Amino acid sequence: MKQIVLIFLLFITANYFFAQKGQITGILHEKPATPVPYVTVTLTESTDKMIAAGISDNKGMFRLESIPAGKYTITYHLMGFQTISQPIQIQPDAMVNVGTLILEPDTKLLQEVSLTSQRSSVSLKLDKKVFEVGKDVLSQSGAVTDLLNIVPSVSVSPGGAISLRGNSNVLVLIDGRRTGLTQGNALEQVPADQVERVEVITNPSSRFDASGSAGIINIILKKNKKGGFSGQLRLVGGTPNESRISPSLNYKSNRINLFATYGLRISDYVGLYTMQQSTGLSGTPVYLDRRQDENRHDNAQLLYVGADFQVDDRNSITAAFMRNSTHDHDKTRLNYVYSGKSGAIDSSLSRNGESWEKRSYNQIEFNYTRKFKRPDKKFTVDMQYDFWDSDKEWNLSTGRISPLAITLPMIRTGSVGSSKDLMIKADMVQPLDSLSTLEFGLKMEDRRVNSDFIAEQQNTTGWEVIDQIDNHLLYKELIGSAYVQFSGKKGQFSYQAGLRSELTHIGIEDRMGSYTNEKNYNRLFPTVNISYRFKENGTLQGSYSKRINRPSLGMIYPFNELTDLTTRYVGNPELNPSYAHVFEVAFLKNWKTLTLNPSFYYQHNSGVIEDYTFQDAAGLFITMPANIHRETRQGFELSVLYNPVKWLQVNTELNVFHYAEQGSYQNQSFDYSGNTLTARLSTQLKLKDKLAFQILYNFRGANATAQTRADALHSIDFGCSKTFLKDKATISFDASNLFDLRKLKSITRGADYAISQTSIPNAARYRLTLVYRLNLKDTQNVRQAKSGNRN
């Protein structure tokens, strides 16, 4: 804490070394009292020389800074509205608030223009890269996981794992909050058309949690700005079966905003997994061919209700409740064929599995916001309480088909889990002058997870426990954090420096008394961001941050399902977090029809978590996570947006990087280095009458570790949409994973074995989506639920 207090005092003292200049603030609305974002605000002299320029935010607010004293003309311009110009005078060191201005629609222009160019879909902020996604065809159908595959630098594996620049140690947020719904493909339940933009934060500032060594993906949902009643109805039908209905209603007045959403989803997924396993390669080899067919059926219901209450002009309160319940019924069929060196079949087995799982995720959220007379000064308090429970049962029947048919004993597993997670935080934003701001805050999070897991095998007298797998685990985690951050601007330079301290206590114990482990660690996480804006509409940015990657619960729990006869994944309770130092230099340049965004990055990770595969004495292949010494990554990333004509837009992305790992675990060396790349190409056609088409190609190059090599991965997605009934309705069709190209192939090698696997968790999917809006524009949405505190 001494370091935090010292930096706090230094930042306050630094305020007096910067000369103050004038500042202009204001709010832009359209009738009835609806904020207007993205209005261009310019300040010019009598010679038409531009002095300053800015854009209004989502609340219609704008601010022009560093303005010398003098007489000027201020102009407000946005396509579809009448341009407003006014004289204004700035006194030395003065702060001028022009109040709330009402923009009038330009009816003549709206009647004449049918196709207009859009603002750039990518912008480079001081500590993040922002991608506007709402106008893509593929972002109007499907789920958030489909949408993320459009965003540069981001990729989603066939199994739903999200990665940033090829690194899966990424923290996913929704509206700036941690998400507890990213596990188990839960983001597939969130419709893509609810997303307004995606912020990719490769070097997060200290106001964010330090988790996620790759960085942060912040998903910003659309907000309703209309007064009175509004809402929408969303209907989805697809094959394999995907049926969704989601009505939402919203009522907004000057003081209160009531919102409610209900969602019902019925989905089927078809998966195929194959494996070729070779053992005893130094002596008498044994070969195994395994095929697993999977049919998953999910039922889900979501309810979200709440209210925003504007106490007065400066104080507001938000309270909401969410419940997301799911009921899954999965079936698997595994066939095993064993053969020897000659290729003749020795024996074959079959295992059928059937599981039932019920989950209930509940969330209570509360927010208090206090605004002040001074613009941008704000104090917020957030509280979020998440509690969930789950109950899952597996029944497994196994039989030998040849050479002699035999029915083997039945196996059943049961797992019951529950969690309680309380988060409280307070943040203060304190402008020091027109060019500098101090931010600081505190946060506490307490989490407790109970998990019971038992595996049993049937015998002549009943059921007996398998391999002593009868676990009753209690996981406790307490994280206390504090941060301070200073940001400022001098001419075309913007800068931001911060320090975050996180104190963590973790306790893991088996309630039967067989295992206990406690860990305590306190770390400081500094961050630095600098930016220079060129007059020719270009921005150069440099950044540094220190990050932490905490093991997920699935990595720590030392047990898992027993569906497969030959392989098993188990957690490692001895895992420690890994740490990363991340450096990046990025450039963004906008021309009339072209946007260019190259960046160079370097990342040094210590205590890296890597999967380790070995064969135990019984011949079972075990995969578990382990800490190794270090990993370094350095790469080049290039994003290009080309818009040669109004109706055509081409996005392309290339990420090339080199990685090197060093370390060992259990006599296995993990020393390895290699190169790989990812690429993406998206083409979109926007025709008259709001008819649009889009096709997307994704490529992930082959990559490897010391044990496993994964082949290159391809995928093609297609979508088309039509908006009609005066923007009240949109119908869209999309096809994901066309031609079933998204196949994950890998091979794992050891001293005396080789395992080759192919995974296709989801077959090609075709969907038809209809959205009908009540008193909403096609760029707006009703209030949606935030996600949980923790993953």
Side-chain angles (χ1 to χ4, degrees):
M1 294 298 295
K2 292 181 179 180
Q3 295 95 329
I4 295 179
V5 173
L6 178 60
I7 291 185
F8 179 82
L9 293 175
L10 288 174
F11 284 171
I12 293 179
T13 305
N15 168 53
Y16 297 99
F17 290 91
F18 298 94
Q20 298 184 8
K21 292 186 178 181
Q23 176 181 332
I24 303 175
T25 62
I27 303 176
L28 298 168
H29 279 185
E30 63 172 312
K31 294 179 180 180
T34 302
V36 183
Y38 315 125
V39 179
T40 301
V41 183
T42 57
L43 191 71
T44 57
E45 290 183 329
S46 57
T47 58
D48 288 335
K49 178 183 177 182
M50 182 178 295
I51 303 300
I55 298 177
S56 61
D57 61 17
N58 289 332
K59 297 180 180 180
M61 300 176 64
F62 71 90
R63 180 170 66 176
L64 304 181
E65 302 173 324
S66 189
I67 303 171
K71 295 181 178 181
Y72 305 101
T73 298
I74 188 168
T75 303
Y76 312 93
H77 174 75
L78 179 65
M79 183 71 71
F81 292 89
Q82 298 178 19
T83 299
I84 299 177
S85 295
Q86 297 175 333
I88 190 169
Q89 184 170 353
I90 304 299
Q91 301 295 335
D93 299 332
M95 297 179 61
V96 178
N97 189 338
V98 299
T100 300
L101 290 87
I102 304 298
L103 299 182
E104 298 291 341
D106 190 334
T107 55
K108 181 179 179 180
L109 180 62
L110 290 176
Q111 291 171 357
E112 292 177 352
V113 177
S114 58
L115 282 174
T116 59
S117 61
Q118 300 178 28
R119 59 195 175 94
S120 175
S121 63
V122 57
S123 59
L124 198 61
K125 306 299 183 183
L126 183 58
D127 60 349
K128 59 193 171 188
K129 194 183 298 183
V130 181
F131 298 93
E132 306 294 337
V133 295
K135 291 299 183 180
D136 292 273
V137 175
L138 291 175
S139 69
Q140 298 178 23
S141 57
V144 169
T145 47
D146 303 303
L147 172 63
L148 289 178
N149 260 325
I150 303 174
V151 177
S153 307
V154 181
S155 59
V156 182
S157 74
I162 300 171
S163 60
L164 180 59
R165 290 175 172 168
N167 189 340
S168 60
N169 297 325
V170 59
L171 177 64
V172 179
L173 306 177
I174 293 184
D175 287 338
R177 291 190 178 183
R178 285 180 179 269
T179 169
L181 301 176
T182 57
Q183 303 298 314
N185 300 332
L187 277 178
E188 289 185 357
Q189 300 179 27
V190 183
D193 64 355
Q194 296 178 4
V195 179
E196 178 177 296
R197 65 183 184 275
V198 176
E199 299 175 346
V200 176
I201 313 172
T202 51
N203 264 334
S205 66
S206 61
R207 77 167 66 93
F208 292 101
D209 291 343
S211 298
S213 59
I216 294 174
I217 298 172
N218 189 21
I219 301 168
I220 306 298
L221 301 181
K222 296 174 181 176
K223 308 296 189 298
N224 175 40
K225 304 180 181 69
K226 283 283 187 181
F229 279 103
S230 58
Q232 75 171 27
L233 176 64
R234 189 172 192 269
L235 302 173
V236 178
T239 181
N241 177 41
E242 182 168 357
S243 303
R244 302 178 187 235
I245 179 171
S246 181
S248 301
L249 289 174
N250 202 107
Y251 173 76
K252 184 175 183 180
S253 65
N254 291 334
R255 290 294 184 186
I256 195 167
N257 179 41
L258 303 175
F259 46 89
T261 296
Y262 174 76
L264 175 64
R265 175 180 62 87
I266 302 173
S267 302
D268 291 323
Y269 302 87
V270 179
L272 173 63
Y273 307 83
T274 61
M275 181 183 71
Q276 292 77 44
Q277 181 178 293
S278 305
T279 57
L281 299 179
S282 59
T284 303
V286 175
Y287 302 99
L288 166 64
D289 283 345
R290 188 205 71 184
R291 176 189 173 101
Q292 176 180 342
D293 293 279
E294 183 180 64
N295 289 282
R296 308 191 306 274
H297 178 79
D298 299 347
N299 292 342
Q301 296 185 69
L302 181 143
L303 175 66
Y304 182 59
V305 294
D308 303 313
F309 179 62
Q310 192 73 34
V311 180
D312 52 40
D313 291 341
R314 296 181 182 174
N315 296 277
S316 63
I317 296 173
T318 294
F321 170 75
M322 183 188 76
R323 178 179 176 86
N324 184 24
S325 60
T326 61
H327 188 187
D328 303 340
H329 184 196
D330 300 342
K331 295 181 180 180
T332 63
R333 181 179 179 87
L334 293 94
N335 292 303
Y336 302 83
V337 178
Y338 294 88
S339 59
K341 186 176 182 180
S342 63
I345 295 176
D346 294 332
S347 62
S348 62
L349 293 91
S350 176
R351 167 171 282 188
N352 292 326
E354 190 169 9
S355 71
W356 299 264
E357 181 176 14
K358 293 182 179 180
R359 295 189 301 270
S360 173
Y361 180 88
N362 305 275
Q363 174 192 106
I364 299 172
E365 64 175 272
F366 172 83
N367 168 267
Y368 167 72
T369 299
R370 162 73 176 176
K371 296 182 179 179
F372 298 85
K373 183 177 180 180
R374 184 167 188 173
D376 299 331
K377 182 177 180 180
K378 184 171 66 172
F379 173 69
T380 59
V381 176
D382 287 278
M383 185 278 288
Q384 190 164 312
Y385 180 56
D386 303 334
F387 54 102
W388 59 260
D389 58 78
S390 65
D391 188 344
K392 184 174 185 178
E393 296 181 356
W394 266 103
N395 286 342
L396 303 167
S397 60
T398 308
R400 191 173 69 186
I401 301 173
S402 65
L404 181 64
I406 298 177
T407 299
L408 299 175
M410 284 282 296
I411 292 176
R412 69 182 184 186
T413 66
S415 60
V416 178
S418 64
S419 174
K420 296 179 180 179
D421 186 1
L422 174 64
M423 183 278 295
I424 302 175
K425 70 171 185 173
D427 299 272
M428 183 71 185
V429 179
Q430 174 65 61
L432 301 177
D433 56 34
S434 62
L435 299 176
S436 57
T437 301
L438 179 69
E439 300 178 51
F440 50 92
L442 298 171
K443 181 179 179 181
M444 183 280 294
E445 186 176 351
D446 181 67
R447 186 186 195 195
R448 294 173 181 267
V449 181
N450 289 280
S451 180
D452 299 338
F453 185 88
I454 187 170
E456 298 174 298
Q457 180 173 286
Q458 193 174 33
N459 56 30
T460 56
T461 60
W463 295 88
E464 61 180 349
V465 175
I466 302 174
D467 298 332
Q468 298 181 334
I469 302 178
D470 185 4
N471 301 278
H472 308 272
L473 206 65
L474 173 62
Y475 176 88
K476 297 181 292 184
E477 181 181 76
L478 178 64
I479 302 177
S481 58
Y483 77 93
V484 63
Q485 181 168 284
F486 175 80
S487 59
K489 184 176 181 181
K490 190 173 182 63
Q492 299 302 314
F493 273 104
S494 300
Y495 49 88
Q496 185 182 79
L499 183 66
R500 186 178 188 89
S501 175
E502 293 190 355
L503 173 64
T504 305
H505 169 76
I506 293 177
I508 307 173
E509 62 178 291
D510 187 335
R511 293 194 299 276
M512 304 297 290
S514 61
Y515 180 84
T516 301
N517 189 7
E518 288 194 3
K519 297 179 181 180
N520 296 280
Y521 46 90
N522 185 18
R523 294 290 187 275
L524 295 178
F525 300 92
T527 63
V528 177
N529 291 274
I530 57 174
S531 177
Y532 182 80
R533 183 177 297 275
F534 297 94
K535 293 182 179 180
E536 294 80 12
N537 204 22
T539 303
L540 180 65
Q541 185 181 89
S543 58
Y544 161 78
S545 70
K546 182 181 178 182
R547 311 289 297 160
I548 184 175
N549 177 38
R550 294 184 177 90
S552 66
L553 287 177
M555 293 180 175
I556 295 174
Y557 282 3
F559 44 82
N560 208 284
E561 309 294 355
L562 306 181
T563 53
D564 193 356
L565 285 170
T566 60
T567 63
R568 188 180 302 171
Y569 181 91
V570 298
N572 181 1
E574 302 298 329
L575 273 184
N576 291 310
S578 63
Y579 299 91
H581 296 271
V582 186
F583 302 84
E584 182 173 356
V585 176
F587 178 73
L588 179 69
K589 174 67 174 177
N590 290 309
W591 288 273
K592 186 175 181 181
T593 60
L594 180 68
T595 298
L596 193 66
N597 178 213
S599 59
F600 296 88
Y601 59 91
Y602 173 82
Q603 184 170 331
H604 182 278
N605 305 306
S606 59
V608 179
I609 300 175
E610 187 65 80
D611 280 346
Y612 166 57
T613 300
F614 64 96
Q615 190 175 22
D616 66 8
L620 184 66
F621 284 95
I622 305 293
T623 298
M624 62 182 293
N627 293 109
I628 64 173
H629 179 51
R630 69 173 186 178
E631 180 195 57
T632 58
R633 288 175 179 242
Q634 54 259 7
F636 169 73
E637 186 177 56
L638 177 64
S639 297
V640 179
L641 170 63
Y642 184 49
N643 199 174
V645 290
K646 293 179 180 180
W647 51 268
L648 175 63
Q649 180 175 290
V650 180
N651 288 14
T652 185
E653 173 204 348
L654 177 67
N655 178 25
V656 183
F657 63 92
H658 172 80
Y659 60 96
E661 293 183 345
Q662 289 185 346
S664 62
Y665 185 80
Q666 298 289 341
N667 299 320
Q668 169 67 50
S669 173
F670 282 88
D671 292 354
Y672 191 86
S673 63
N675 303 289
T676 190
L677 64 89
T678 61
R680 180 179 291 126
L681 177 63
S682 172
T683 301
Q684 187 166 198
L685 300 175
K686 292 191 175 184
L687 307 179
K688 291 183 178 181
D689 300 322
K690 296 199 172 183
L691 177 64
F693 299 86
Q694 184 178 10
I695 188 167
L696 172 69
Y697 171 72
N698 271 298
F699 173 78
R700 192 203 69 186
N703 62 89
T705 66
Q707 284 193 296
T708 303
R709 173 183 172 82
D711 289 352
L713 189 65
H714 307 258
S715 67
I716 297 177
D717 299 331
F718 169 80
C720 60
S721 70
K722 166 68 176 174
T723 299
F724 54 99
L725 296 180
K726 298 182 179 179
D727 290 350
K728 290 182 178 180
T730 297
I731 188 169
S732 59
F733 169 79
D734 75 289
S736 61
N737 192 22
L738 274 175
F739 314 117
D740 287 326
L741 292 178
R742 196 173 294 153
K743 300 178 181 179
L744 185 62
K745 298 181 178 180
S746 65
I747 183 167
T748 301
R749 298 183 183 276
D752 200 35
Y753 68 85
I755 305 173
S756 179
Q757 301 183 77
T758 299
S759 301
I760 311 175
N762 295 317
R765 184 173 291 274
Y766 306 90
R767 284 177 294 234
L768 188 65
T769 302
L770 173 65
V771 177
Y772 182 80
R773 307 173 188 89
L774 173 65
N775 197 28
L776 284 174
K777 297 180 179 179
D778 64 340
T779 57
Q780 296 178 331
N781 211 318
V782 293
R783 179 70 167 270
Q784 302 296 333
K786 295 180 173 65
S787 291
N789 297 326
R790 295 287 286 146
N791 58 3

